[in-house]
Amino acid sequence: MSTVLAPARRQETAALRTRQIHAVAACYFVASFAALGLPPYLTEILPSLGDREARWAGLLYVVPTVFGALCAPVWGRLADRYGRKRLLLRAQLGLAVSFVLAGWADSLPAFAAALVLQGVLGGTFAASNGYLAAAIDGHRLSWALTLMQGAARLALVAAPIVVGSLSPWITPHRQYAVLAALPLAAALMLAALPEPPRTGQDGPPAPDTGDTAEDTTATGPATGALRTLYALEFAFVLATVISYPYLITLIGQRLPGLGPVVGGVLFALPHMCYPLLARPVHTAVAGRPLLGAVTGLGLVAVALAGHWGAATMASFIALRLLLGAGMTLGLVSLSALAADASRGRRPGRMFGTLEFISKAGAVVAGAVAAVSNDVWGPAAPVVAGSAVAALTAVVSTPVLLRWSR
């Protein structure tokens, strides 16, 4: 399948060393702490800013995501023109500035403006992936993107716990300012890394045709493969993220008397699977990532559908582990597809667009989850996620069969 996805294989000139790849992933992990760990505490932050009932929490939760999605393609194109390392440093420093402003904001408008700035100036995930794709290729790039997803999963699990543990001494609001030191430290570490070399794809950008979903340097089957990647990314994010907002409420209804700590562990269980399963899954899907993505969607569909009738601790544990297996298989396969699709393309532009697609899926997921919960209750979002995953797997099967020939 790699021949379908790779119209022109780039040379691996001045490839990053393994420890440098690990450094990029580690920098993304530490920079993600405030971005992922503090939003769950908005209901505690907003009353001190005048919103006593935290009515704006839901909207402010997605503000950085919305503005990050809108700006990611622009930053990606600028990275292709002015240098991936420069734009990666810009993203880390932008996060540090926005976190400081959020931590010292003394009114709701000022805090909201800082969150807008976080979305506009951030984009560390796309910037990191674009940097890696400009320096390495093939199997190494696929594994590097897998490591980046692992960093995101670890931050999603660890950050809320750390923020909660620090809360007795530093309020979550002021932790924004304190945790700004993390992206600043990441920027200092990244400054020591090399700038990826210019390649034939790094000249002045071709005239914009209005189609942001494809690169003018790749046509034919490769363009179709890129569109397939974007569609799978959107559907996978939508299917999984839609289950996040009201899962704790659902667990509380099905298992009354369960403490918040156990509920949090059940929520985090699928994300804990990723670090354990990523390497063997990466080996298994090499050469057939589309099959892995479709299979992962199928597992996600089955696991989320099972939440509808789950009523015991054992059933929830089993379903969360199955969901973790499906998420790991899907995420690793999407990383492999992205690595193949980046060949012969400007990586900043491609990963910027991919980040836009991913964040758009998350925003849609949040909106659908809120509406379905209001109408049918907390089980509705997970069932909706199951339906999205199952439908995507079915629709993708003909593409899988065609590519397998």
Side-chain angles (χ1 to χ4, degrees), residues 68 90 111 138 165 183 228 242 248 371:
R90 175 217 57 78
F111 185 74
S165 300
T228 298
I242 197 174
I248 298 296
V371 172

Side-chain angles (χ1 to χ4, degrees), residues 65-66 69 234 237-238 354-366:
T65 303
V66 171
F234 179 86
V237 171
L238 174 59
L354 189 63
E355 180 78 351
F356 170 81
I357 296 293
S358 177
K359 290 184 180 299
V363 172
V364 173

Side-chain angles (χ1 to χ4, degrees), residues 7 42 89 110 119 134 164 170 197 219 229 274 286 330 342-343 350 366 398 400 403:
L42 284 176
L89 290 173
I170 307 174
T219 58
L229 169 65
Y274 190 96
S342 69
R343 294 170 179 165
M350 195 205 87
L400 173 61
W403 285 13

Side-chain angles (χ1 to χ4, degrees), residues 108-362:
L108 186 61
F111 185 74
L115 294 184
V116 170
L117 202 62
Q118 177 187 330
V120 171
L121 296 182
T124 54
F125 191 69
S128 299
N129 287 347
Y131 175 85
L132 292 169
I136 55 178
D137 199 1
H139 184 79
R140 291 191 74 215
L141 176 58
S142 175
W143 176 242
L145 299 181
T146 299
L147 284 178
M148 290 295 295
Q149 283 288 353
R153 300 299 120 184
L154 286 175
L156 188 61
V157 172
I161 297 174
V162 172
V163 171
S165 300
L166 292 176
S167 294
W169 297 277
I170 307 174
T171 65
H173 181 199
R174 298 307 180 194
Q175 284 189 49
Y176 266 104
V178 174
L179 294 180
L182 295 178
L184 182 60
L188 293 175
M189 184 184 301
L190 291 168
L193 296 181
E195 176 70 52
R198 294 278 179 176
T199 67
Q201 304 298 342
D202 291 337
D208 194 347
T209 61
D211 187 355
T212 60
E214 59 183 275
D215 197 309
T216 55
T217 61
T219 58
T223 297
L226 186 60
R227 289 172 174 167
T228 298
L229 169 65
Y230 289 159
L232 288 173
E233 178 77 16
F234 179 86
F236 191 85
V237 171
L238 174 59
T240 52
V241 173
I242 197 174
S243 67
Y244 292 174
Y246 302 100
L247 180 67
I248 298 296
T249 302
L250 176 64
I251 293 174
Q253 286 185 358
R254 299 290 176 79
L255 303 175
L258 192 68
V261 174
V262 179
V265 171
L266 287 175
F267 177 89
L269 199 55
H271 307 291
M272 296 177 183
C273 294
Y274 190 96
L276 301 175
L277 301 176
R279 183 170 287 278
V281 168
H282 183 260
T283 301
V285 302
R288 46 186 182 275
L290 182 58
L291 174 60
V294 173
T295 305
L297 283 165
L299 294 178
V300 168
V302 172
L304 290 178
H307 284 64
W308 177 267
T312 65
M313 176 65 76
S315 62
F316 268 109
I317 291 175
L319 290 168
R320 300 303 288 170
L321 290 174
L322 181 62
L323 179 61
M327 288 176 60
T328 302
L329 185 55
L331 289 169
V332 172
S333 299
L334 287 171
S335 295
L337 286 170
D340 281 343
S342 69
R343 294 170 179 165
R345 290 190 171 88
R346 299 174 182 178
R349 179 178 181 178
M350 195 205 87
F351 283 103
T353 303
L354 189 63
E355 180 78 351
F356 170 81
I357 296 293
S358 177
K359 290 184 180 299

